[in-house]
Amino acid sequence: MKQKNTSSNIFMYIAIFATILLISAINVNAVGENPTAPDLGEAGRFVILASQTVTTTVGSNITGGDIGVEDQARTFITGFTSTGPAGDFTELTGGTSYASDDSNPAPFPYPLHYSTLPVGATWTTSGAMITQAKTDLGIAFTYLAADPNPDAPTISCPTELGNLTLTRGVYKTASNVIIQQGNLTLDAEGNPNSVWIFNIVGTGTLITGAPGGNIILANGAQAKNVYWRTAGKTVIGTNTVFYGNVFAWTEVNALTGANITGKLFASTDQVTLQSNIVTSPTGTSSPVVTLVNPTTNTWNTSNMPAFTFKYVGASTASCTLYANNVSVGTNSSVVNNTNTAITANAQLSEGNNSWYMSCDDGSVVTNSSNRMVFIDTIMPTSLINSINNVSNGYGTNDTTLSINFTANDTNLINWTLSVYNSTGGLLQNWTATTINLSAIETYTVTTNGTYYVNLTVRDNATNINTTSFTVYVDQTAPVTNSVSSGSVTSSGATITINASDMYSGINNCTYTGAGSGNLILSNGVYTASLSGLSSSTAYTVNITCYDKAGYSVSNTTSFTTDAAVVQPPASTGGGGGGSSGGTPLQCETWSTCNSEGVSSQICYTDNSNTTLTRTKSCTPGQTTVPKQNVTTPVTDTGNNGQNTWAVNQTTPVVQDNNGNTPNDGNQITGNVALESSPTGIWSTIGRWWSQFIYWITHIFG
């Protein structure tokens, strides 16, 4: 029994010891043994090396190494700006470019040995150097695939590295790997020699990008010690911050604005840059300022736009926006690894403007790359000058529309000219990209009616200007009716006419024959008040109405002006009259004699401010007599010139007291006259006598 217990204890101790060993092994892997990095050999001189092509768009900056193509001619290095010695580019600092077909020593100097012994010796040709670099690159690519690494075990690599913190080690997967849900932090735990190897096998790819996608180096981690090996391709996302050396079997594609600290190798295909910063890694990583928006060479309609960037470095920094090398805005509390916007506090110039960000974390100042932004606050020119030489809103009798227009802008994208019918249906469309264009386009319509023409001009800054034009096609004359004249006086009259047009509308109506001028549209009727006419004169007025297409129709109306009113001179009336004269009168027609044997007549002074009503005895039912003008006074030849007026003013008119019609033998010969004063004794007696006779006549019949 005792032996059995001893045996059990032995097995228990063995189990405990094995468990301790297992935990120790797990702890070692968790901490991470430091892998051995590959030797790049002659490939180490390159910051970018591809089998087929290296290409870039405007705005890239490459620093700290050479670029080259292994299997193609120099013409497969594209997008770069040549400058100075052969092989040098404006975009490349601290290095030159190589291709296997370079002729040495002229114009391309012999390359020097970079790592191949003896270091510093002269290569016989560029092609020989590139061949060696290609060989060394293949060796490094194979070494990175080794499992295990000579000095570190292999750890399974997650397929999403965002929001993770990884210490040194070898990480491997056969799946695609992304860094998108957050940033990946590589923590050296205070050891600047820590190495990371990411081995993505099979046909796996590495893709970084929004909303996360940045790589952050922490606690002494260095970009030169990070290696990304992909059996497929590597895509570095837009505006991301990336650290490490990329060894892609096919291609490396850096999207717009990505900021890369590391080397880019494509074993069988190409490396493509799109306005990127690529820096060969050396020493400890420093802060990085990446520009986000506006993207390079884009247009902006505001001359005080907002500029977005990302600072990766210390926890906070003070960052300044520079436009054309002048400070135009500062944010003193920019948060690490966060998109931040600074709006320009001064107006940028129309056209091209360079800009960059400069960030100061208190110990080091870090500048971003430069970008260009184009400012355009001016709307494009969009003019429809005329159609068939008529202005906007007028008509033409020609069914072929000749459209004279102007489309202009310094950065015009295109213009569109469109013809629509009255219901908005599109009849014709022209589009072109010609800048500073003044032209004529023609379109033939089939029916009379209203047509609309629009010209829309667009520029690169999204400014849009549209001009509209209305034209009436009208081959018919206007319609007129109800031509008349009225309100006739001795010096004036009113003429009216109704006028309409089915297609283009009435443009105007004019008159001649009694002076000339335009009729005015009022309440749907065209009207003109004529003045300055001669009295007692017959007039025939010609009225012509025009539509907006130029067609016209004419009508006439006739009238005779009244007799003139003449100012009477001073005079002495006959019989009991005193001196007469004063304001001239014009009298209306005598009224029909009423049942009481009285006829009345209204008279007006020439300014119509005062009226007189006079009466006379008459035979009931007798007809009226024409109106008469009170003008030149004469002496009454009968019945003592008694005054028979019933007046509403003090000035009487001397009139035959019989009040008979003209030519009755008792009427005053000539015209009657105003009596200037009613105060004479004979005038007073005359009025009394007239009233006495009037009442005697009516009482006794």
Side-chain angles (χ1 to χ4, degrees), residues 585-589 601-604 614 627-630:
L585 298 178
Q586 183 174 359
C587 301
E588 298 296 337
T589 303
Q601 184 183 51
I602 298 175
C603 296
Y604 307 88
R614 63 179 182 174
K627 63 183 179 180
Q628 56 184 311
N629 291 328
V630 181

Side-chain angles (χ1 to χ4, degrees), residues 196-401:
W196 287 261
I197 296 175
F198 295 89
N199 184 17
I200 305 170
V201 300
T203 58
T205 62
L206 170 65
I207 301 176
T208 73
N214 295 308
I215 297 174
I216 299 174
L217 302 182
N219 297 316
Q222 299 186 70
K224 69 176 184 177
N225 294 328
V226 181
Y227 299 87
W228 300 90
R229 178 193 178 277
T230 60
K233 66 180 179 180
T234 296
V235 178
I236 302 173
T238 301
N239 296 322
T240 56
V241 176
F242 185 91
Y243 290 104
N245 306 295
V246 177
F247 295 77
W249 180 248
T250 57
E251 64 178 292
V252 180
N253 188 1
L255 301 184
T256 302
N259 192 317
I260 302 161
T261 303
K263 299 176 182 291
L264 305 179
F265 299 112
S267 295
T268 63
D269 204 341
Q270 64 184 6
V271 173
T272 302
L273 305 181
Q274 300 177 48
S275 301
N276 306 117
I277 297 175
V278 182
T279 305
S280 183
T282 57
T284 304
S285 61
S286 59
V288 175
V289 181
T290 304
L291 304 182
V292 179
N293 280 311
T295 56
T296 190
N297 296 334
T298 56
W299 291 86
N300 203 297
T301 57
S302 170
N303 53 17
M304 298 178 67
F307 296 86
T308 305
F309 66 101
K310 180 181 289 185
Y311 168 80
V312 177
S315 58
T316 60
S318 177
C319 298
T320 300
L321 166 65
Y322 287 88
N324 303 316
N325 295 317
V326 176
S327 172
V328 291
T330 298
N331 185 328
S332 60
S333 56
V334 174
V335 178
N336 177 51
N337 197 33
T338 303
N339 281 355
T340 304
I342 297 178
T343 299
N345 58 24
Q347 292 186 354
L348 276 63
S349 303
E350 292 285 323
N352 300 349
N353 294 267
S354 65
W355 68 282
Y356 70 93
M357 293 290 179
S358 180
C359 295
D360 185 353
D361 64 4
S363 60
V364 64
V365 176
T366 304
N367 293 339
S368 71
S369 61
N370 279 283
R371 278 190 183 175
M372 297 298 296
V373 62
F374 305 132
I375 303 299
D376 185 356
T377 63
I378 301 173
M379 296 295 288
T381 299
S382 173
L383 294 175
I384 300 177
N385 304 308
S386 65
I387 297 180
N388 290 7
N389 295 318
V390 300
S391 301
N392 187 16
Y394 283 83
T396 176
N397 55 24
D398 191 342
T399 57
T400 298
L401 304 181

Side-chain angles (χ1 to χ4, degrees), residues 75-86:
T75 54
F76 285 80
I77 302 176
T78 62
F80 294 89
T81 306
S82 296
T83 179

Side-chain angles (χ1 to χ4, degrees), residues 93 664 689:
T93 302
D664 64 355
W689 178 254

Side-chain angles (χ1 to χ4, degrees), residues 460-599:
N460 285 293
T462 70
N463 292 311
I464 300 176
N465 192 6
T466 299
T467 299
S468 298
F469 195 104
T470 302
V471 65
Y472 305 99
V473 175
D474 186 357
Q475 297 177 311
T476 62
V479 175
T480 57
N481 53 55
S482 302
V483 184
S484 64
S485 55
S487 301
V488 179
T489 67
S490 62
S491 60
T494 299
I495 56 175
T496 60
I497 189 171
N498 290 332
S500 62
D501 189 85
M502 180 179 296
Y503 298 111
S504 63
I506 298 298
N507 184 41
N508 67 318
C509 293
T510 64
Y511 67 87
T512 59
S516 62
N518 291 314
L519 285 79
I520 305 302
L521 180 62
S522 176
N523 297 321
V525 178
Y526 287 88
T527 303
S529 295
L530 310 182
S531 62
L533 306 182
S534 300
S535 61
S536 303
T537 303
Y539 287 92
T540 297
V541 179
N542 182 70
I543 302 175
T544 303
C545 291
Y546 302 85
D547 66 19
K548 293 181 179 179
Y551 286 100
S552 64
V553 62
S554 296
N555 295 267
T556 60
T557 181
S558 299
F559 61 88
T560 300
T561 54
D562 294 339
V565 176
V566 181
Q567 175 71 34
S571 175
T572 301
S579 63
S580 63
T583 305
L585 298 178
Q586 183 174 359
C587 301
E588 298 296 337
T589 303
W590 287 100
S591 67
T592 301
C593 191
N594 61 24
S595 59
E596 296 179 352
V598 177
S599 178

